[in-house]
Amino acid sequence: MEEKIKFLIDKLNNKHSLEQEEYKYLIESRSEEVADMLRTLAVQARKEIYGNSVYIRGLIEFSNICKNDCYYCGIRRGNKTCDRYRLTKEEIIETADEGYNLGFRTFVLQSGEDSYFTDDILVNIISSIKQNHPDCAITLSIGERDKESYKKLFDAGADRFLLRHETADKKHYEKLHPKEMSFEHRVQNLKDLKEIGYQVGCGFMVGSPYQSPETIAKDLKFIEEFSPKMCGIGPFIPHKATPFKNHTSGTAELTCYLLSIIRLIKPNILLPATTALGTIKEGGREQGILSGANVVMPNLSPVAVRKKYDLYDNKICTGEESAQCRSCLDKRIESIGYKIVIDRGDIKEGKF
Ligand code: SAM
Ligand code: FES
């Protein structure tokens, strides 16, 4: 292996930081040998902190109605073929109860940007779930809102917030979104969330149209500097009714490579092996765990609506009952020597 690469990997492993140009070099120089080395170090780093525990998050996709029109997303408002739904408060609460009985101690409430869900309605839902299950964490993944709104939801009991930054390159951001959406606004939201006290997650799609080693290097530098508690990355997968329908998918190979790098940037980060990774490759989530991820987010949404939360083509687990998914994942994770634990799965803070 080239000396420069060895030096960069060593620096990343010890200093948890590289220059943007160095990240770019690491991405451009990837080979099986380099990937193996990063993977070995990433797994070692996560094992030191989390042992062989894998945390699960129960994903409740409660509405696919969205006022935004992101070019990559299957539930964008411009997709007139999308069969829209919205769960009632009672359905959301029942779904969380079912999840609790299956061993979930974190619920991720995810939706399109649906203005039906006002602060008052969400406060009511969040506080009811918290009242029923005080030992659980609630993660929100509901997109951009103003700071007061985020604060009200936090005060109602929401603990964490996932808002992928999507790309840390402004020009690239503008190629993925229509002009009413802005990179600055997204980043401001992330800062607001952190200031309020949420455990914040950012992230991006791997292989999104117009992505380059340079934009990925910016993503990695952004992650290093923003220091999120969680980071969601998964391959871009085209959806047949979006403007990006003819673009190629991201790969499991690059996604896993980046999972290893992100683990080394922030050894204690909560890093999911995403459903998109399991969709692009059979066994992709297991490969993600073996590359440094430590979280899986199975779907808890009622089976009747699962197919409708159609972000990209051929999404897996849309026909299975939650209990089936839970036991399927247990087996998958055990088959690679790890174990799903019944735990809120908070980040372990320390000297990292
Ligand atoms: N509306 C919320 C938001 O914007 O944060 C949450 C839902 S949004 C559908 C969740 C994530 O799905 C996005 O941040 C995006 O990265 C991912 N996503 C959307 N379309 C995708 C696609 N075609 N392939 C892979 N991931 C996709
Ligand atoms: Fe859903 Fe395997 S994880 S069926």
Side-chain angles (χ1 to χ4, degrees):
M1 193 183 302
E2 196 196 329
E3 281 308 311
K4 180 167 174 189
I5 290 287
K6 279 194 197 151
F7 167 80
L8 292 182
I9 295 178
D10 200 48
K11 179 173 171 192
L12 181 61
N13 192 32
N14 291 308
K15 301 249 187 310
H16 313 297
S17 166
L18 293 182
E19 299 302 323
Q20 192 177 301
E21 275 306 308
E22 294 176 326
Y23 282 125
K24 182 165 175 260
Y25 192 80
L26 202 52
I27 295 155
E28 286 170 335
S29 322
R30 70 185 197 282
S31 65
E32 248 176 69
E33 196 190 5
V34 178
D36 272 351
M37 190 160 173
L38 285 167
R39 190 183 309 121
T40 304
L41 292 170
V43 165
Q44 195 179 313
R46 65 144 289 181
K47 284 215 163 164
E48 274 169 26
I49 302 167
Y50 294 103
N52 59 359
S53 300
V54 171
Y55 296 138
I56 42 172
R57 319 304 195 192
L59 184 61
I60 306 176
E61 299 157 334
F62 66 92
S63 166
N64 70 351
I65 297 172
C66 192
K67 67 176 167 54
N68 288 339
D69 220 12
C70 309
Y71 300 141
Y72 46 84
C73 186
I75 63 169
R76 65 198 297 268
R77 70 159 190 269
N79 179 7
K80 304 296 180 218
T81 63
C82 177
D83 188 1
R84 306 285 170 177
Y85 74 91
R86 186 181 275 148
L87 298 186
T88 63
K89 176 191 164 192
E90 290 68 33
E91 286 169 324
I92 298 172
I93 289 169
E94 269 169 36
T95 306
D97 291 344
E98 190 192 350
Y100 190 86
N101 293 332
L102 289 171
F104 289 92
R105 296 295 177 267
T106 291
F107 302 111
V108 180
L109 300 182
Q110 188 177 92
S111 67
E113 290 198 13
D114 180 354
S115 36
Y116 166 83
F117 287 97
T118 58
D119 294 345
D120 287 348
I121 293 179
L122 284 172
V123 162
N124 193 285
I125 294 169
I126 293 164
S127 46
S128 304
I129 298 178
K130 277 294 213 185
Q131 211 170 354
N132 294 349
H133 309 293
D135 53 337
C136 288
I138 294 183
T139 304
L140 299 177
S141 174
I142 55 176
E144 299 182 24
R145 298 172 86 95
D146 58 40
K147 194 172 178 183
E148 290 96 87
S149 168
Y150 286 149
K151 174 82 170 86
K152 280 188 197 157
L153 306 181
F154 182 76
D155 291 340
D159 305 271
R160 309 180 185 140
F161 204 107
L162 290 175
L163 185 72
R164 289 185 174 185
H165 63 286
E166 310 295 0
T167 168
D169 180 289
K170 182 174 155 59
K171 287 210 174 77
H172 184 211
Y173 191 91
E174 288 165 2
K175 288 184 183 160
L176 300 178
H177 303 95
K179 56 177 175 308
E180 64 266 21
M181 290 180 75
S182 97
F183 173 66
E184 288 80 6
H185 193 256
R186 195 92 180 162
V187 172
Q188 187 56 49
N189 275 188
L190 281 166
K191 290 182 182 156
D192 289 346
L193 288 162
K194 202 179 202 184
E195 216 173 275
I196 291 167
Y198 282 98
Q199 298 164 40
V200 180
C202 63
F204 61 95
M205 291 177 290
V206 177
S208 63
Y210 315 108
Q211 188 176 63
S212 65
E214 189 172 349
T215 66
I216 299 176
K218 284 189 183 171
D219 289 321
L220 296 175
K221 199 66 195 168
F222 178 82
I223 291 163
E224 184 197 306
E225 289 173 352
F226 183 66
S227 191
K229 305 284 184 207
M230 313 170 272
C231 182
I233 69 161
F236 159 74
I237 304 174
H239 183 288
K240 57 186 173 309
T242 62
F244 288 164
K245 62 179 179 216
N246 294 324
H247 285 265
T248 44
S249 302
T251 63
E253 177 266 316
L254 181 54
T255 305
C256 290
Y257 191 79
L258 294 172
L259 284 170
S260 301
I261 294 178
I262 295 169
R263 170 64 59 204
L264 294 176
I265 293 175
K266 196 170 160 64
N268 63 341
I269 199 166
L270 294 162
L271 197 56
T274 56
T275 304
L277 182 54
T279 299
I280 205 66
K281 188 166 183 199
E282 165 52 36
R285 286 168 299 180
E286 294 89 313
Q287 212 175 306
I289 300 290
L290 292 171
S291 302
N294 64 334
V295 173
V296 279
M297 295 172 61
N299 202 326
L300 272 187
S301 313
V303 174
V305 301
R306 281 198 192 186
K307 280 198 172 42
K308 301 182 187 175
Y309 200 81
D310 186 22
L311 305 182
Y312 47 80
D313 292 340
N314 307 316
K315 189 173 166 206
I316 53 168
C317 302
T318 55
E320 280 74 15
E321 292 289 342
S322 303
Q324 270 177 289
C325 254
R326 174 67 224 269
S327 68
C328 165
L329 264 184
D330 260 336
K331 286 191 203 107
R332 285 173 178 269
I333 300 300
E334 270 171 32
S335 78
I336 53 167
Y338 287 77
K339 193 160 180 41
I340 287 180
V341 290
I342 297 183
D343 192 302
R344 267 172 57 116
D346 285 299
I347 191 165
K348 291 205 193 304
E349 300 289 1
K351 54 175 179 22
F352 322 111

